[in-house]
Amino acid sequence: MLEYIINNLGTIVVSLIVLALLVLAVVRIRRQRKQGGCAGCPGCSDGNMYCGGCELNQQKK
Amino acid sequence: MNIKVALAGNPNSGKTTLFNTLTGSNQYVGNWPGVTVEKKEGRLKGNKDVNIVDLPGIYSLSPYTLEEVVTRDFLINEKPDVIINLVDATNIERNLYLTTQLAELGIPMVIALNMIDLLRKSGDTINIEKLSKEIGCEIVEVSALRGTGVMEVANKAIKIAKSQKAMQPIHKFGAEVEFALSQISDFIKNREDIAPELIRWYTIKLFERDSKVLEKLQLSKNDLEKIEKIISDIEKKFDDDAESIITNERYEFIEKVVKIAVKKKSPGMTTSDKIDRIVTNRVLALPIFALVVFIIYFISVSTVGTLITDWTNNVFFGEWVMGGATALLQKIGAAEWLQSLIVDGIISGVGAVLGFVPQMFLLFFFLSLLEDCGYMARIAFIMDRIFRKFGLSGKSFIPLLISSGCGVPGVMATKTIENEKDRRLTTIVCTFIPCGAKIPVIGLIAASMLPEYAGFVAPAVYFIGIFAVIVSGIALKKTKLFAGDPSPFVMELPQYHLPAFKSVIAHMWERGSSFIKKAGTIIFVSSAAIWFLTNFGIANGSFGMVEGSDSFLGIIGGAIAPIFAPLGFGSWEATVSTFSGLVAKENVVATFGIFFGLGADIAESDPTLVNKVAELFPNVFAGISFLIFNMLCAPCFAAIGAIRREMASGKWTLIAVGYQTLLAYIFSLMIYQLGGLISGTLTFGAGSVLAIIALLFVLYMIFRPNPYVSAKKARS
């Protein structure tokens, strides 16, 4: 087992990093959707003025 | 002490610019009326106790538009401590109309006389002391755009708010109207639910028969009859309706004030008028608009845009990122599948989108320039003349203009259209205008299928989008669901001014950076998912890495692909790419990048990807058909969500998405089948028959008589 881990250490570490990044991205998308129903569209950079959900976020803050 | 400051004024009077300066926010500022449709809040820089609220621009406190309702409800129900009334110094008569109404609310008020720099340039002068005396409140000269007088007006507002001195309107109506108002106020002056300082405002609103005030006050039938008698008597005397009587008297007062305080240079044509004589000219307006759009898309997508994109792809991603990642992964001994996931999946997918970011930034830079200088407002005015002929109003064009950046705010902007049928129709058609996310798809297909004419493809797609809007307007307005006259469209054209470099750059960055953020979330996750589904499947009864066509996506895409065969792109790769566009439109390019497993340059300028994509399509018409389908079909999920929110109905959302997809299918079918038939690349067959039927159907829908047009209108 230990030998397998040592032989594949590079693969395991990089896989864990990729997995962590994917989980972080999914969590971020889910959080955005839950908070404002928006998905990082440029609409939000247009001042959050059209997305009712984003307005709601501001009020919550 | 917490102080709530409300920014109120006419549309495009500079409220959001002032708000941004006072709060350090970066809210979107557009040089056309009606940009702000919801109130926004922020804290004053350096004083956290001061809360500033930016309200939508309004011309009056009547409850006719969404903006008026939002602003009025805030001022009446949330009672800010002070109002900063933004008054456009270059258009003082019209702006003071709202000022006279705000003064009646009894809320302490200070006037920010904005655009004072433009006024000085025109040679006109305003005597601040005299104006302040006539209106009855303090006035500060401001240029929100240049930042002059901004903190002075904020400090003055704080001082007035702390003094808690209610605004006492100096303006009085004529004796007969004042007598009527005093009679009406007797019915409400002892009510506990109305603050004493608001009695006069409610009285005037009752005189005007304001429906929302009547509903709120719930007066007895007896009282209502008595009030109605008072109003009717005055109306008979003046031979006018109550609302017009009040309006006329306000303007008489304003005329008097302007005579005292304002000195105008001899009337002549302003620079804006001179420019408008050419730009909004009946004959020249459209060719100028077409030329402007052509130049913007030509420069953004080809020429300068391509140069920057080439460097981003070839040097940045090709050499640095991909080369570096491959070398590093090999050095640490990462498994081949992991190298493939990272290089061919994630970096290819995310990189394909990021490669187009410079082009998107360029497009947003030009769009920001057009907005800031005041030309965008003219486009709405020009298009109103054309749209009206096809049953749509110019009001529908504002969401279309916004959609050229992103469909989500475009769809959201339809909420300002009062007529429900017009609002629904605009919501359905506004995503036909290519958004920034579609730029990568246009760039890729243009380079693959029409390399010699690549620079002309992006403007052409923009005009096809407008054509689809017009065709839909004509056809749908003849159906029961959308029949009716278009809403009236009144829009004030702002003065032209040199764009403020800082705001143009800020606006470009705000819009463009969101694509980078999106690449780090949605595109990142979907690239990994697409790589997995394209490389894994079940072969010989066991799960493992397989060839693309045997993969999960290959099998699913292969099953759906025959639907698109009549359109010329019946391959599983093109089918899956199209569906992946539902996540985000730029995902179409990311998906191609992953499919072809290119280790290096994966954007539109890369000859390998370009060749591979070109091989997917049997002829140039198939490529164009693919492009048009992806431009017009159902938008991304974020935009569909926005449609769902605006329509507030699952049924209408389905109608919208269904119509968009059907129209895209019909257009693509005609392009591929008829184009192929005419060019001789296709022989006559079942597809040709379908395309001819589709063409006849479209022509019938456009040219059939409108069964819902009124007899009177038909005669005229």
Side-chain angles (χ1 to χ4, degrees), chain B residues 598-660:
Chain B
L598 303 171
D601 317 331
I602 30 67
E604 121 276 19
S605 56
D606 176 75
T608 321
L609 181 71
V610 165
N611 292 341
K612 292 262 187 184
V613 170
E615 282 168 18
L616 274 181
F617 305 108
N619 57 41
V620 68
F621 294 105
I624 298 170
S625 156
F626 175 83
L627 177 62
I628 296 304
F629 187 83
N630 277 282
M631 294 299 109
L632 303 179
C633 72
C636 64
F637 287 135
I640 293 174
I643 292 172
R644 172 79 179 82
R645 274 201 298 273
E646 279 316 298
M647 295 283 202
S649 152
K651 186 186 99 180
W652 272 101
T653 309
L654 275 178
I655 291 173
V657 171
Y659 175 79
Q660 290 160 346

Side-chain angles (χ1 to χ4, degrees), chain B residues 382-433:
Chain B
I382 295 161
M383 293 309 285
D384 181 52
R385 282 206 300 249
I386 299 151
F387 271 30
R388 196 154 286 278
K389 286 180 189 159
F390 303 123
L392 284 162
S393 95
K395 212 162 192 178
S396 302
F397 201 71
I398 298 291
L400 299 182
L401 278 179
I402 297 170
S403 291
S404 60
C406 173
V408 175
V411 168
M412 295 296 192
T414 59
K415 71 171 70 169
T416 56
I417 302 169
E418 293 91 24
N419 182 310
E420 193 180 41
K421 287 178 176 177
D422 280 3
R423 189 172 61 244
R424 282 179 174 153
L425 178 55
T426 310
T427 306
I428 292 172
V429 300
C430 74
T431 55
F432 289 155
I433 302 295

